[in-house]
Amino acid sequence: MIRAAKAADIPDLARVHVEAWRQAYAGQVPEALLAPDRLAWRAAMWTAILAGGEGPYLALVAHDDAGALAALGLFMPATEAPAGWDHEIRSLYLLRHVQRRGLGAKMLAQGRDWVRARGGRNLMAWALDANTGAQDFYRATGAIEIARRVVPAGTASLAEIGFGWDPV
Ligand SMILES: CC(C)(COP(=O)(O)OP(=O)(O)OC[C@H]1O[C@@H](n2cnc3c(N)ncnc32)[C@H](O)[C@@H]1OP(=O)(O)O)[C@@H](O)C(=O)NCCC(=O)NCCS
């Protein structure tokens, strides 16, 4: 079941966010970005978002068969998108054991519904150049490549590909 995230989820959101990054990006991003001390940083991030401090959002969570929070999605008005793109997926992370069961597609569909309900025209997301699984997922759900960028990440820089659904 997918439901809206709430303040009581913050410790689990932080845990899943950090763990999903480690599963997805080990060897692809600087180790500092995967360190356990990111837990406090992620908790602060989710606290600010759920308090409304970063503007309107749709934050979704989903649980695994054992009832543990295992997936998160965060959709917001665009802050890092190319011109002409009004909403973005800030985060969409499923732990490995709940991937490839259609859950990501369902969370994305709810995000797209939310953007449409707000009067948004389109939606985009950045994926690491090395994250071909996410890129395949975005293409499979109807997105096309719209941009490329290189972002500083600690001591390194990361190549990313932007994908967009237009209209959303
Ligand atoms: C990418 C992600 C959100 C996709 O969610 P999901 O629930 O695993 O994907 P779904 O089951 O909804 O997949 C829908 C379709 O997308 C495609 N797809 C999804 N993941 C894929 C992968 N790793 N490789 C190839 N195709 C993939 C397939 O066509 C799939 O349909 P199929 O399973 O019938 O073949 C999820 O796997 C995830 O969180 N991955 C790790 C973190 C990540 O990369 N997040 C995105 C950051 S930019």
Side-chain angles (χ1 to χ4, degrees):
M1 184 194 70
I2 300 169
R3 64 162 171 80
K6 50 187 196 292
D9 296 319
I10 289 169
D12 285 336
L13 282 164
R15 175 183 56 77
V16 169
H17 212 152
V18 169
E19 178 59 20
W21 262 59
R22 176 159 287 288
Q23 289 182 351
Y25 300 140
Q28 296 180 16
V29 307
E31 190 59 24
L33 297 180
L34 304 173
D37 64 7
R38 298 289 280 180
L39 261 182
W41 185 83
R42 284 295 181 198
M45 177 201 124
W46 281 103
T47 301
I49 287 165
L50 297 184
E54 297 204 15
Y57 64 86
L58 175 71
L60 300 173
V61 296
H63 295 73
D64 63 17
D65 294 340
L69 199 152
L72 59 89
L74 180 60
F75 302 82
M76 300 183 90
T79 59
E80 294 185 23
W85 292 85
D86 53 50
H87 285 77
E88 68 192 20
I89 305 176
R90 183 75 63 84
S91 295
L92 183 58
Y93 288 96
L94 280 59
L95 293 180
R96 198 168 279 149
H97 68 285
V98 296
Q99 291 176 13
R100 296 304 289 268
R101 302 169 170 189
L103 179 58
K106 282 188 192 136
M107 293 175 84
L108 173 61
Q110 292 196 16
R112 295 172 75 171
D113 287 346
W114 178 78
V115 172
R116 276 192 290 267
R118 286 174 46 77
R121 286 183 321 241
N122 49 37
L123 175 69
M124 68 84 53
W126 293 104
L128 271 190
D129 187 41
N131 189 358
T132 55
Q135 293 164 33
D136 287 343
F137 169 72
Y138 292 146
R139 287 196 190 90
T141 53
I144 58 165
E145 183 179 329
I146 58 162
R148 291 195 175 233
R149 70 176 184 178
V150 175
V151 289
T155 53
S157 55
L158 298 172
E160 294 187 328
I161 305 176
F163 288 86
W165 298 259
D166 187 15
V168 65

